[in-house]
Structure formats: C-alpha cells, structure tokens
Amino acid sequence: MAEFQCEQCGAELASLPVKKLHEKQFCPKLTATEPVAAEIETSNNGDQPTEELGRLTVPIADPDYFVSSLVAAEIQRVLALCEAQPENLALVGPKGSGKTALALQIAAKRQAPCYVANAYTQRSSDEWFGREGVSLEHGTYYVPSLFVEALETEGAVVIINDMALMQNKSIQNGLNDILDYGIRFAWVEALAATLGRPVRVAPRVLIIGTWNEGAAYTGNIMLSANLTDRFPNRIYMDYPPAEVQKSILMRKTGISHDDASRLSDFGARLRGLQDPVEVSMRGLIQAGRKMQLSANIHDALYYTIISGLKPESQEQALAALEGIYTTNEKHLVSTRTNQWEAWADGGEKWTEVSAEVKASWERAVEGWRPPSKAGGN
Ligand SMILES: Nc1ncnc2c1ncn2[C@@H]1O[C@H](COP(=O)(O)OP(=O)(O)OP(=O)(O)O)[C@@H](O)[C@H]1O
Ligand SMILES: [Mg+2]
C-alpha cells in the first residue's frame, strides 16, 4: 500500500517529496490543461530576504553589483526576446569575473524564480532530470529534480553553472533537446511513468549557461560545438575596469579608497603581464575584507591570492607588491619576526571585530542566499 495517494488522479505514491512534486507539476489531471503558474509566497517578513517559490528562490538584488551599459542593454534585449519564447544566454569569461553573480542579478532584476544547477555535480546525462530514491517499502523510485521544476516554471531563470566542469562529455547530451530552440522538451525514460509526458520548457524561461574558456582551465572539458551553438546570446565577460573595481572593493568591504586602489592596482599589474595571471574579483574582495581586519596588504594578498599561484607567478606577484607598499608597510613586512610556539601557551587574543565592520559585512552579504526550504536535487 502506498503511503500517499494523489487526490486528483488517484496515483499511489511512495513518499512525500514525490507526492508534492507529482501534484504540483506532474499530475496528468492538473497538467493536462496548463502548466502550473508560479505563485510568489507573500510571507516575507524581513529575516528572509528571498521570496520562496515552491523550492525555487528569487535572488536578492546586490546593491553593489556593477554592470556596463553595453552589457545591461544586451541583457534587456535578451529579456525582451524571452517574452516571445524561451531564450538561452551564455556568460563566458575568466574565473571570478562575475558570471555567476551576473546570472543571479539578472534573476533578481527580473524578480524571477531561479534555480542554479551545478554542472559538475551531475553524474550522468539523465541526472539533470532527477535521481533515484530507494525506500524499504516501495523499492526504487525516481524523484524529479529542481532543474525540472525550474524549467517548467513560467518566467523562471535557470542557471547552468560552470558548464565546462561537467564530469564527462556525455553529460552534455542530456541538455541538447532542452536547449534546442526548435525542440524545448526532453523525453526522460525514468520520468515517463510518473509524468506521462516529456519535460517541457515553460514560456518565458531564460536559461543562462556560464563557463570558463581558454587553455588556462586545465580540468575543464571542451564543450561540444553543438552545445555552445545552442547559446545564440553570448556575453564575454572580463574583469571590471580599475575604477569600477575600486568602487566594488570599497562598497563590498568598507576599505579606504587608497587601499582599494592598491588592491585593484595589484590585480591590474598581474593581469597585464606578458603571461597574464588571472586575479579574480573573489580573491581581491576577500583580501579587502582582511585589510578591514587590519591585515597589511602583503598578508591580505598572500593568504588569498599569492600563495595559490605557481612559483614564477608568485615571484611576479611579490614584485608587484613591492610597487604598492606604503613605506611603513614595506618596513613592517621586511623587519617582522615570525616565531613558533605551542599554540595553547600563546596569550594571543582573537581579532576583535568592531560593530562598524560587522555592519559593513551585513551590507556586503552576497546577492544570494540558499533557499531556506532546502530540498535535495
Ligand atoms: N561587476 C561586479 N560588481 C560587483 N561585484 C562583482 C562583480 N564581478 C564580480 N563580483 C564579485 O566577485 C566575486 C566573484 O564573482 P563570481 O563568483 O560571479 O565569478 P565567476 O565569474 O562566476 O567565477 P568562476 O568562473 O570562478 O565561477 C563575487 O563575490 C561577485 O559578487
Ligand atoms: Mg561562477
């Protein structure tokens, strides 16, 4: 005897998640007429900055995300085109150039329910659409993924993040039909029994794919040309210009204009080398946060960016640092001693964080928080 029975069609269902999804998305009685429209819950009481939509989430707008006017105009055009039919948009660029952040900000601007599918967690081409569950009573059953829920939600923004990190090439194939402007549905064998129809992309859905391109990305797979060709809208991203980076660093970490200039200058020097070293915004922001905790610029950059570079790049980075030290810092860094002691004996206190710094952290919270009603994919 099944644990639950669908009130609409009488189907017997093994467990609650299956029942919930079945009724919401897949019950033939409910879906025969029209796809389930998204309902925004209005119980947003302030502690929860996102609006929950089933288990999809509208990301919060990041007041400190900067975008160029050319890119903003292109995004407006893509969103306008998306009113007529689902669209695919590629955000391609070096690590930490703001691809994932921009994808989330597009969803926030559009106030759209959003789901981020991380390409590297998929183990097979079928897994995009669901995973097997096992219960003692009912044996093996198939739980549709949030990716399916998102694709079938009208007006959703579905982010396929880090596409070049897929574990192998065959995993790409699961996406071909969904991404194809002329098809936009996929027959998924394992779902056929519950669904009785293919997975369909709902009207006004925007699918955003992000990936890194280039020889530097060892470990990435080459995306097949027919997959990338399914993204006729493409934005190639680069690091924001120095002035903008300074503003971002000041706004996101609360450091002074001078310190922000020096961090941004460090990034520019390394990126401008003949054999460029990519310095991600992520690393610079983290270094800024440590400077706000009184780290000198050497330690702030060493423990976030420099120590992770290959040896020859480390040398270049240390040389770049020489150029941006204040006299005081240069002296401090070169003359300080580094002593080892049993840690428990040390009288060292934890760094005190001032209320002012804490307040700026509040402000700097990323434009994204995970859904509170987390559900596994
Ligand atoms: N234009 C920008 N304005 C404000 N913040 C930015 C901007 N670009 C990047 N950032 C910040 O830099 C950090 C890294 O950005 P993000 O994670 O989006 O990079 P990414 O391109 O997706 O990197 P990866 O390729 O490693 O996934 C984030 O904290 C993001 O908010
Ligand atoms: Mg990313």
Side-chain angles (χ1 to χ4, degrees), residues 96 98-101 161-162 210 282:
K99 302 179 293 293
T100 307
N161 206 26
D162 289 324
T210 78
R282 193 179 287 130

Side-chain angles (χ1 to χ4, degrees), residues 62-68 91-105 120 161-162 165 210-212 217 237-240 244-245 247-249 252 280-286 364 366-367:
D62 175 354
D64 303 324
Y65 190 85
F66 283 63
V67 67
S68 75
L91 302 178
V92 186
K95 66 175 190 223
S97 56
K99 302 179 293 293
T100 307
L102 179 57
L104 291 168
Q105 289 311 300
Y120 46 82
N161 206 26
D162 289 324
L165 290 182
T210 78
W211 66 86
N212 308 115
Y217 294 96
M237 317 242 329
D238 203 350
Y239 302 108
V244 177
Q245 250 176 98
S247 303
I248 294 171
L249 286 167
K252 289 205 164 178
S280 86
M281 286 296 295
R282 193 179 287 130
L284 290 178
I285 291 172
Q286 196 65 1
E366 293 297 324

Side-chain angles (χ1 to χ4, degrees), residues 25 67 115 129 138 145 202-203 213 232 255 267 288 306 339 348 355:
Q25 299 278 344
V67 67
Y115 175 66
F129 302 101
H138 309 289
S145 64
E213 232 170 44
I255 53 174
I306 300 174
Q339 286 172 358
E348 209 65 57

Side-chain angles (χ1 to χ4, degrees), residues 229-250:
D229 200 50
R230 282 167 169 67
F231 287 87
N233 307 296
R234 280 175 192 229
I235 297 176
Y236 279 83
M237 317 242 329
D238 203 350
Y239 302 108
E243 276 310 309
V244 177
Q245 250 176 98
K246 264 182 237 171
S247 303
I248 294 171
L249 286 167
M250 284 163 64

Side-chain angles (χ1 to χ4, degrees), residues 177-333:
D177 292 349
I178 286 294
L179 292 173
D180 193 312
Y181 277 51
I183 303 179
R184 291 293 190 196
F185 65 82
W187 269 108
V188 184
E189 207 58 44
L191 277 179
T194 1
L195 210 50
R197 60 170 180 76
V199 172
R200 287 189 295 244
V201 179
R204 300 175 51 249
V205 164
L206 175 63
I207 301 178
I208 305 180
T210 78
W211 66 86
N212 308 115
E213 232 170 44
Y217 294 96
T218 47
N220 281 13
I221 59 165
M222 281 282 288
L223 291 171
S224 68
N226 54 353
L227 187 74
T228 54
D229 200 50
R230 282 167 169 67
F231 287 87
N233 307 296
R234 280 175 192 229
I235 297 176
Y236 279 83
M237 317 242 329
D238 203 350
Y239 302 108
E243 276 310 309
V244 177
Q245 250 176 98
K246 264 182 237 171
S247 303
I248 294 171
L249 286 167
M250 284 163 64
R251 291 171 69 141
K252 289 205 164 178
T253 71
I255 53 174
S256 69
H257 182 269
D258 269 7
D259 284 345
S261 303
R262 295 194 301 145
L263 287 179
S264 151
D265 190 17
F266 173 81
R269 282 171 192 239
L270 293 196
R271 292 172 193 149
L273 290 171
Q274 205 167 19
D275 186 9
V277 176
E278 279 176 4
V279 179
S280 86
M281 286 296 295
R282 193 179 287 130
L284 290 178
I285 291 172
Q286 196 65 1
R289 296 177 71 207
K290 288 179 190 167
M291 290 181 81
Q292 201 194 22
L293 294 176
S294 316
N296 61 56
I297 201 162
H298 171 279
D299 294 354
L301 285 169
Y302 187 78
Y303 291 108
T304 52
I305 296 174
I306 300 174
S307 56
L309 301 174
K310 32 180 207 197
E312 56 276 25
S313 309
Q314 284 202 19
E315 266 170 46
Q316 291 169 311
L318 291 169
L321 265 182
E322 290 290 327
I324 56 176
Y325 280 141
T326 59
T327 332
N328 208 6
E329 264 169 353
K330 192 168 184 168
H331 178 72
L332 271 179
V333 171

